[in-house]
Amino acid sequence: MGKHTFGSEYGFQTRAVHTGNDVDGETGAIKRPITMANSYELPYDPTDLNWSSAGGNLYTRNGGSNQKYLQEKIASLEGGEDCIVLASGVAALSGLFFALLEKGDHVIFSSVTYIAVYRLLHELLNNKFGVETTIVDTSDVENVKKAIRPNTKLIHIETPGNPTLNISDIRAIADVAHEHGALLSVDNTFASPFNQRPIELGADFSVESLTKYINGHGDAMGGSITGKKEYLDIIRAQSQINLGGTISPFNAWLIMRGAVTLPLRMKQHNENALAVAKWLQKQDCVSFVAYPGLEDHKGHEIAAKQMNPGFGGVLSFGLKADHDTHNRFVSHLNVITSAVSLGHDESLIVFLGENDERQYLYPDEFSNGFFRFSVGIEDVEDIIGDLRQALEKTGFSTK
Ligand SMILES: *Cc1c(COP(=O)(O)O)cnc(C)c1O
């Protein structure tokens, strides 16, 4: 029983279904069980064990079976050597930064990133621990080149970037990093490994908020770091064990289950988001639409090169209206829910007002406030129909 492996000779969809699952050795069940145990039985003489060692069955913060199964699946989908799963995307980001960066190191990161990246690097690691930071618009690789210093250890980018959807060229930035002895990490959450695999494009690490597309059902949090074993061993030993952002076995199991349908869901997200972006673009009341799948998007050419088969399910747009009108529009939505997070089965929208603290880093068209819209996998006619009726109730006419 057991020992079925599904390597890279199998397609993405087959690996999404099978990798990490196997026949349970004890019962013959065709799904591996959830192991809700904090500890594993010790050997006859446990005194030689390293209580801070990772991987073996000792204590669930050091490594448990459900997290191991999920790691196998994510590593396979990302095309990486090894993977660490943690309690959230932010646990993955902080684990990566904590293990790789030391006092006096320099890190370059994208002006458009998840807010916790800005806080972790630019405020916490910078102010408390003396890590130097430079924030640049990484959608132009020349900006990255200019920011390099002799002590640059890490470049961290997010593409597409949350929340403006700007695009950075992974391969070009990986080349710049490696020419200067630095490492590149890519937050791949918006694309998911179905649409984009940073490691295949030359990045050293691909970070995911598993909370989003990979789980896909909005009911569990998790995060992953995928990359070379040589670095992941360090991150595991320093961050997983000592920062303690352990994923619960149940959440690892839920995410494992959600990930099975990642390819099918992503196909629908890609298709729905493109259709919604095109529809919004036709409306007179819409001030802008940012979606990398639109040909007039500034990063479309690079996105088309590195994202395949699609451009993901998240877009941004604004209304030619004042602050309160944006809120009134949202209050009329029925199918689409006003809530943070993204990559769920259901459509989610967030109004980001004109006072976002990093507004100065965003393109001009975002300056009157905008929506981040995570287009779900509902019938696209119902999503567009919901936008239409809400716009009309708000007093706009639609086409
Ligand atoms: C949500 C998100 C994160 C953080 O993940 P959590 O699971 O919420 O901790 C990181 N990066 C991006 C791009 C995200 O959208």
Side-chain angles (χ1 to χ4, degrees):
M1 273 190 284
K3 302 224 169 27
H4 301 110
T5 55
F6 289 84
S8 56
E9 70 275 24
Y10 289 94
F12 191 92
Q13 206 150 312
T14 305
R15 286 178 285 131
V17 171
H18 290 285
T19 306
N21 188 39
D22 208 338
V23 174
D24 177 40
E26 187 182 336
T27 62
I30 63 164
K31 299 289 175 191
R32 281 168 160 174
I34 312 175
T35 304
M36 295 298 286
N38 294 349
S39 308
Y40 294 79
E41 189 181 39
L42 292 171
Y44 170 74
D45 181 1
T47 58
D48 284 341
L49 287 176
N50 176 355
W51 307 119
S52 299
S53 65
N57 285 355
L58 172 67
Y59 186 53
T60 293
R61 178 157 43 74
N62 302 56
S65 34
N66 295 100
Q67 76 198 49
K68 212 159 61 196
Y69 305 151
L70 181 58
Q71 283 166 181
E72 277 175 41
K73 194 188 287 292
I74 305 297
S76 164
L77 298 182
E78 300 265 14
E81 238 176 66
D82 194 5
C83 172
I84 300 173
V85 297
L86 292 164
S88 66
V90 167
L93 289 164
S94 55
L96 174 81
F97 299 153
F98 176 80
L100 291 183
L101 297 170
E102 288 174 28
K103 185 168 138 194
D105 284 341
H106 176 235
V107 52
I108 299 168
F109 71 100
S110 303
S111 53
V112 177
T113 53
Y114 190 70
I115 188 73
V117 169
Y118 176 83
R119 297 254 182 273
L120 280 167
L121 292 174
H122 193 62
E123 294 182 352
L124 299 172
L125 286 174
N126 181 317
N127 293 335
K128 290 162 81 107
F129 304 109
V131 169
E132 298 170 21
T133 51
T134 307
I135 305 176
V136 302
D137 175 0
T138 55
S139 64
D140 182 351
V141 65
E142 293 305 317
N143 295 337
V144 180
K145 281 187 195 159
K146 278 187 227 141
I148 292 270
R149 297 179 193 168
N151 58 339
T152 304
K153 181 79 146 290
L154 178 72
I155 302 173
H156 178 79
I157 63 173
E158 196 171 296
T159 181
N162 185 358
T164 69
L165 282 300
N166 73 337
I167 298 294
S168 300
D169 187 331
I170 298 172
R171 192 174 288 286
I173 297 174
D175 288 346
V176 173
H178 297 151
E179 251 169 60
H180 295 87
L183 297 165
L184 173 66
S185 60
V186 178
D187 188 327
N188 197 48
T189 300
F190 268 40
S192 92
F194 179 70
N195 286 323
Q196 176 173 279
R197 286 177 296 283
I199 289 167
E200 291 175 3
L201 295 162
D204 298 285
F205 307 101
S206 178
V207 179
E208 307 276 350
S209 167
L210 303 173
T211 311
K212 313 293 171 50
Y213 287 107
I214 293 179
N215 178 51
H217 295 74
D219 51 12
M221 301 194 91
S224 65
I225 310 161
T226 306
K228 286 206 183 73
K229 189 173 177 320
E230 131 189 40
Y231 294 110
L232 266 66
D233 280 345
I234 299 170
I235 300 168
R236 203 171 258 125
Q238 292 191 14
S239 303
Q240 180 183 318
I241 312 285
N242 301 304
L243 295 182
T246 315
I247 192 166
S248 88
F250 184 55
N251 278 3
W253 180 86
L254 277 174
I255 295 167
M256 183 88 181
R257 187 186 209 254
V260 166
T261 55
L262 176 72
L264 299 177
R265 288 183 286 103
M266 287 317 300
K267 283 178 201 171
Q268 198 65 52
H269 283 296
N270 289 344
E271 198 181 303
N272 285 4
L274 185 60
V276 169
K278 287 184 174 164
W279 184 82
L280 284 168
Q281 244 184 349
K282 286 192 310 205
Q283 308 307 315
D284 292 333
C285 58
V286 169
S287 55
F288 75 92
V289 184
Y291 182 66
L294 293 174
E295 277 167 26
D296 64 1
H297 185 275
K298 192 169 150 265
H300 177 71
E301 214 175 297
I302 294 167
K305 224 173 46 178
Q306 65 191 17
M307 299 181 82
N308 182 26
F311 301 92
V314 188
L315 55 88
S316 296
F317 71 100
L319 295 177
K320 292 175 189 159
D322 64 11
H323 187 99
D324 186 55
T325 306
H326 282 83
N327 283 324
R328 272 199 297 124
F329 161 70
V330 170
S331 74
H332 293 305
L333 292 167
N334 296 321
V335 177
I336 303 158
T337 305
S338 172
V340 296
S341 199
L342 53 100
H344 296 191
D345 42 18
E346 77 259 58
S347 292
L348 298 172
I349 198 163
V350 192
F351 175 44
L352 295 157
E354 50 287 88
N355 297 324
D356 186 295
E357 67 181 309
R358 292 180 306 158
Q359 191 69 257
Y360 71 98
L361 296 167
Y362 298 161
D364 288 342
E365 62 265 35
F366 288 75
S367 63
N368 294 322
F370 63 100
F371 298 110
R372 185 187 69 195
F373 184 17
S374 173
V375 181
I377 57 173
E378 300 96 339
D379 290 294
V380 72
E381 298 77 15
D382 290 333
I383 300 170
I384 291 174
D386 197 36
L387 292 168
R388 184 194 298 283
Q389 65 79 27
L391 285 170
E392 287 173 0
K393 276 192 192 138
T394 313
F396 296 110
S397 54
T398 62
K399 290 179 186 164

